[in-house]
Amino acid sequence: MAGKKYRAVADKIEKRPYALNEAIPFLQRNRVSRFNETVEVHLNLGVDPRHADQMVRGTVVLPHGLGISKKVLVFAAGGKVQEALNAGADFAGGDEYIQKIQKDGWLGFDACVATPDMMRFVSRLGRILGPRGLMPNPKVGTVTFDVAKAVGEVKAGKVEFRVDKGAVIHAPVGKLAFEQSKLAENAETLIGAVLKARPQAAKGRYLMKASICSTMSPALTLNVAEFGG
């Protein structure tokens, strides 16, 4: 049944680029499933990720969040533990959580923050957290002594983006049940952040293609001229 619904929606998509304010209502009118799907943006960039000076990565706090509550683990010691918990962290501590992850395989969280002094211990978890995109990283603001700010940003809808080997960025921008205007503003905010992250070494056209879809739907091509990329 889901396959038939997918094909039925795909048949309605015109072979042309859509404006963002056309694409979002289309997705909302043509739901493929009954659950509240995540809306995702995919950006094909004119970079070569094999070269370090053309790597594109960063973070952005979406103005209307993601419609989900992320569980945050903070690696910290001393007073920073309580500071993290007061800021809304779901878990905060040091060696007890490192051991729990190493020995028990526990991964009951969606994001990690660490204070700089804890990173020499947290680095032991690189093989576990790294492949899952959970390793704290100073480049995206998750290695910091300002744990309250970091936790607040994650809870508010902070999105980390990073170009993959195919020179594509995949990122969520909210839920299908969001108001159209809120989804559009979130998508524009994300795309704007990616455009600002353009490496100096990138030559020629940067934003090659953009598309938007929900978790279960086919993608609609967006008009990249709308974003000035």
Side-chain angles (χ1 to χ4, degrees):
M1 182 62 71
K4 290 181 180 179
K5 289 182 178 180
Y6 182 96
R7 290 193 296 273
V9 173
D11 288 342
K12 295 180 182 180
I13 298 175
E14 299 176 33
K15 293 183 179 180
R16 63 174 178 85
Y18 283 73
L20 188 60
N21 63 8
E22 288 181 284
I24 292 171
F26 179 95
L27 292 174
Q28 292 175 324
R29 287 194 308 268
N30 295 279
R31 303 176 69 103
V32 175
S33 67
R34 294 182 180 179
F35 71 90
N36 190 11
E37 300 173 47
T38 297
V39 177
E40 304 164 357
V41 167
H42 306 275
L43 306 173
N44 296 65
L45 304 181
V47 298
D48 186 345
R50 294 175 299 177
H51 301 288
D53 61 356
Q54 294 189 49
M55 176 56 65
V56 180
R57 72 178 302 171
T59 61
V60 60
V61 177
L62 301 181
H64 304 291
L66 287 170
I68 57 175
S69 180
K70 286 189 174 183
K71 289 188 177 181
V72 183
L73 165 63
V74 177
F75 293 105
K80 290 294 177 182
V81 172
Q82 192 59 50
E83 182 181 331
L85 293 172
N86 290 345
D90 299 272
F91 315 99
D95 190 60
E96 67 272 33
Y97 286 106
I98 293 172
Q99 293 296 322
K100 193 172 182 180
I101 293 168
Q102 277 187 320
K103 294 184 178 179
D104 302 335
W106 177 71
L107 291 168
F109 49 92
D110 306 300
C112 285
V113 173
T115 55
D117 57 314
M118 291 298 294
M119 282 306 294
R120 62 194 179 105
F121 306 110
V122 178
S123 62
R124 303 175 198 159
L125 304 175
R127 290 183 180 179
I128 301 171
L129 301 183
R132 294 171 173 81
L134 293 171
M135 194 68 181
N137 190 317
K139 292 182 179 179
V140 296
T142 50
V143 177
T144 175
F145 280 116
D146 194 348
V147 293
K149 179 183 177 183
V151 170
E153 287 181 343
V154 173
K155 290 287 188 178
K158 183 177 182 179
V159 171
E160 181 179 349
F161 58 85
R162 179 173 181 167
V163 69
D164 65 16
K165 293 179 181 179
V168 182
I169 283 176
H170 312 270
V173 292
K175 291 291 185 179
L176 202 54
F178 278 21
E179 292 177 18
Q180 176 192 334
S181 60
K182 291 182 177 180
L183 272 175
E185 190 174 353
N186 276 359
E188 289 166 352
T189 300
L190 170 74
I191 295 170
V194 173
L195 292 177
K196 288 180 181 178
R198 175 176 181 153
Q200 290 186 347
K203 305 300 181 185
R205 190 173 168 190
Y206 177 56
L207 182 55
M208 305 294 290
K209 181 182 177 183
S211 61
I212 189 168
C213 65
S214 60
T215 306
M216 303 298 290
S217 79
L220 283 77
T221 299
L222 296 174
N223 182 4
V224 295
E226 181 179 350
F227 311 110

